[in-house]
Amino acid sequence: MEPRPPTFILPNSPSCRVVDRFSDLPENVLVDEDEDGRIPFWPLLCHLLQEPILTASQLIDRLQTIAANAEGCEGGDYGSLKDFLAGDDEDFFGSTWPNLRDIALALPRYFTTGQLDILEPGRPLRLSRGQAACLVIHQFVCSAVPQRHDDGYQDFSIWYASGQRHPVAVQMYLTALFSYFTSLPDAQALMNDHELALEDSGRCVTYTLHEQDEKSLDGVTLGAVYVDYLGNYNTDFHLPEVQGPHGAVVVSANKVVGFGQSATQEEIFVGIAPEACPVVLVAPHLTNETVITVSGARAMLSVTGQRRDISWTVRPTPSPVTDFRSWAQAWRGGRLIFMDALEMDMVETADEILPDLLPENIQRELRKAQTGFSAHPGHTAVWTGLWGCGAFCGDAGVKLVVLWFAASAAGVRLNVVLGPEQHEIGRRFELVVSACKKMSAGRLRELLLEVPKGLRKLEILDWLVEGVSTGG
């Protein structure tokens, strides 16, 4: 996979030029046309956004025009978006849409250079609420020229066409997006808040790429572990009131992070928090040494279930007030750690050796998790499900032990979150924790490397308990 370009070009960039396909730009707007017939996109986009939109049909027509001029995805028939907007009352087009338009038109004030730098270690992207809203609205209107050549998405056009493979998930993401839109303060208030955020990074949504040197387990004492047995999957661990001031939740990510069209954990956690969605504009492809964190993005929905069986409720949002210091505190979201696990089904082994138990694979997963758990100095707790044990085919027994190593080395409390069908492995893991609590992390890792061939999941955990009890 080729690396991404070092910058993401926004529509107001001088280098962003398009063909005015339908001759929409009025003749009295003077622009420079190059030898290929291309003009600066921003004047054309401003004109398209400023033209009145009073109905859902007009909105969809405008989105199609913008996408065609940006040479992006035209969204097919826009059937899913049309169905979602059916019967919408006049409030959206009477007040919400004009506010979105004004926020979108503030793009040159929010981003004077017309571009975003791709994340690098030590160079986080901090966005005020106004900047984040501006980017999300431009993702909604699909105004950026195509810049992705991988499996990721840069805008929300993937949710617009008919024939969605998971229509309920798409309805959920659109619900989150429009709940976000209707909850936004007015454009001028967001600009005022932006001025405050320039001096207070705590008011921002922050996107960060983390990388750190490998840490030894020598001398590391195994830390505390808590197992949460859920009656059903939920997104509560996304919330700051659950995480507390120094917690974070692991997102089981792909190398190309972001939102999508189905209901994986990653897609849900990003899709229900629109302020997290701009991560796709600046996230490089994850390597074996890197993780990405997003801090402060507010979840608009509370979701229960997973995959095809999901439901949600809209979370109440604080009303915008004159004192934006208090509003920003009430609005804040939690912390997400995007970590990609090894795809164990792609690893070839011989003699019934479990890929998860190969020393190099244990080391890779350990370093990845250590980097994620150490991403924010001062963090004291992390919540995680069975990371890498779904589509990536990781062994749950091995993964839980490796996550325990990583949390112990990072000095954070490990909170394992398990769905209904995973309770038994949680109970067996707790037996390992009880049996090994006086053992060093380094010694337990040595014992893990001695697991006999052919053992899997619960068998591995049972073997570890027996090995400790017999003095192994």
Side-chain angles (χ1 to χ4, degrees):
M1 189 183 298
E2 294 184 4
R4 294 189 59 187
T7 58
F8 187 89
I9 303 301
L10 298 174
N12 64 310
S13 168
S15 65
C16 185
R17 304 178 72 89
V18 301
V19 175
D20 183 2
R21 294 180 179 275
F22 310 112
S23 300
D24 286 304
L25 194 65
E27 293 183 0
N28 63 343
V29 179
L30 300 178
V31 293
D32 295 325
E33 182 176 321
D34 63 23
E35 58 185 15
D36 296 319
R38 294 180 177 272
I39 63 172
F41 188 24
W42 184 243
L44 173 59
L45 182 58
C46 287
H47 171 72
L48 294 172
L49 290 174
Q50 289 171 324
E51 287 290 287
I53 295 177
L54 303 176
T55 66
S57 295
Q58 289 178 339
L59 174 62
I60 289 173
D61 180 72
R62 197 64 44 80
L63 296 182
Q64 290 175 316
T65 301
I66 291 172
N69 281 288
E71 301 179 351
C73 173
E74 298 184 31
D77 55 13
Y78 284 67
S80 289
L81 181 60
K82 186 180 299 184
D83 290 344
F84 182 84
L85 292 171
D88 203 344
D89 56 35
E90 296 180 358
D91 287 346
F92 180 80
F93 294 102
S95 58
T96 301
W97 169 252
N99 189 45
L100 301 184
R101 175 202 62 209
D102 291 345
I103 296 170
L105 291 172
L107 185 69
R109 294 182 63 187
Y110 281 129
F111 303 96
T112 56
T113 65
Q115 65 182 38
L116 300 170
D117 292 334
I118 302 299
L119 296 177
E120 296 180 4
R123 295 181 59 187
L125 172 64
R126 294 187 176 92
L127 299 180
S128 68
R129 298 292 170 183
Q131 286 179 308
C134 186
L135 291 179
V136 171
I137 295 165
H138 279 279
Q139 287 181 294
F140 170 64
V141 301
C142 307
S143 60
V145 296
Q147 296 168 65
R148 303 284 313 233
H149 304 287
D150 48 30
D151 295 327
Y153 305 105
Q154 70 178 33
D155 58 41
F156 303 145
S157 61
I158 57 169
W159 299 335
Y160 296 167
S162 298
Q164 296 286 336
R165 61 176 180 263
H166 195 334
V168 176
V170 168
Q171 183 182 14
M172 177 175 67
Y173 301 139
L174 290 174
T175 299
L177 182 63
F178 277 75
S179 298
Y180 172 70
F181 286 160
T182 57
S183 300
L184 285 172
D186 67 72
Q188 185 55 55
L190 279 176
M191 186 60 70
N192 294 340
D193 181 68
H194 173 66
E195 299 299 326
L196 293 174
L198 294 176
E199 299 179 0
D200 180 7
S201 62
R203 306 176 66 85
C204 297
V205 184
T206 304
Y207 315 79
T208 310
L209 180 70
H210 301 268
E211 182 178 10
Q212 69 174 27
D213 294 335
E214 185 176 319
K215 292 183 179 179
S216 171
L217 293 181
D218 292 344
V220 171
T221 301
L222 290 167
V225 175
Y226 295 88
V227 181
D228 291 308
Y229 296 97
L230 304 181
N232 200 352
Y233 293 95
N234 62 64
T235 57
D236 290 353
F237 307 98
H238 199 302
L239 308 178
E241 53 265 40
V242 174
Q243 295 179 3
H246 305 295
V249 64
V250 170
V251 177
S252 296
N254 293 285
K255 292 184 184 301
V256 180
V257 306
F259 49 83
Q261 295 170 289
S262 57
T264 66
Q265 188 224 18
E266 178 181 16
E267 291 175 349
I268 291 174
F269 272 54
V270 179
I272 67 172
E275 291 172 325
C277 291
V279 71
V280 304
L281 308 180
V282 295
H285 305 143
L286 292 177
T287 68
N288 285 341
E289 296 78 30
T290 58
V291 304
I292 288 173
T293 61
V294 176
S295 301
R298 181 180 178 83
M300 303 306 298
L301 309 180
S302 292
V303 181
T304 301
Q306 63 172 350
R307 301 186 182 95
R308 293 284 168 180
D309 183 21
I310 52 174
S311 61
W312 62 87
T313 56
V314 177
R315 297 184 63 223
T317 53
S319 299
V321 292
T322 303
D323 182 5
F324 273 88
R325 288 177 173 82
S326 61
W327 173 81
Q329 179 67 16
W331 180 269
R332 67 189 176 90
R335 303 169 193 84
L336 309 178
I337 305 171
F338 292 84
M339 298 174 7
D340 63 310
L342 279 174
E343 298 182 56
M344 293 300 179
D345 57 334
M346 303 296 290
V347 179
E348 296 184 4
T349 61
D351 301 327
E352 296 186 349
I353 296 176
L354 185 68
D356 304 66
L357 290 173
L358 293 175
E360 61 271 24
N361 290 345
I362 290 178
Q363 189 60 34
R364 189 273 185 190
E365 302 294 72
L366 175 59
R367 180 175 182 181
K368 175 72 69 166
Q370 279 184 335
T371 301
F373 296 169
S374 304
H376 295 292
H379 272 191
T380 57
V382 64
W383 281 260
T384 180
L386 293 181
W387 172 63
C389 297
F392 285 8
C393 300
D395 183 275
V398 177
K399 275 293 195 299
L400 286 172
V401 175
V402 171
L403 290 169
W404 189 19
F405 293 158
S408 301
V412 301
R413 184 182 73 242
L414 179 65
N415 297 274
V416 180
V417 183
L418 299 177
E421 74 279 9
Q422 301 167 342
H423 288 186
E424 183 57 31
I425 199 163
R427 287 188 281 269
R428 302 287 185 91
F429 178 55
E430 287 190 294
L431 293 177
V432 174
V433 173
S434 179
C436 302
K437 59 185 177 182
K438 295 183 180 179
M439 183 179 292
S440 70
R443 175 64 190 114
L444 181 56
R445 180 183 178 182
E446 293 174 359
L447 190 61
L448 187 62
L449 292 171
E450 297 170 8
V451 171
K453 298 176 183 177
L455 297 188
R456 300 290 188 273
K457 298 181 180 179
L458 296 177
E459 298 170 332
I460 292 174
L461 297 177
D462 291 343
W463 185 88
L464 290 173
V465 172
E466 183 179 353
V468 173
S469 64
T470 57

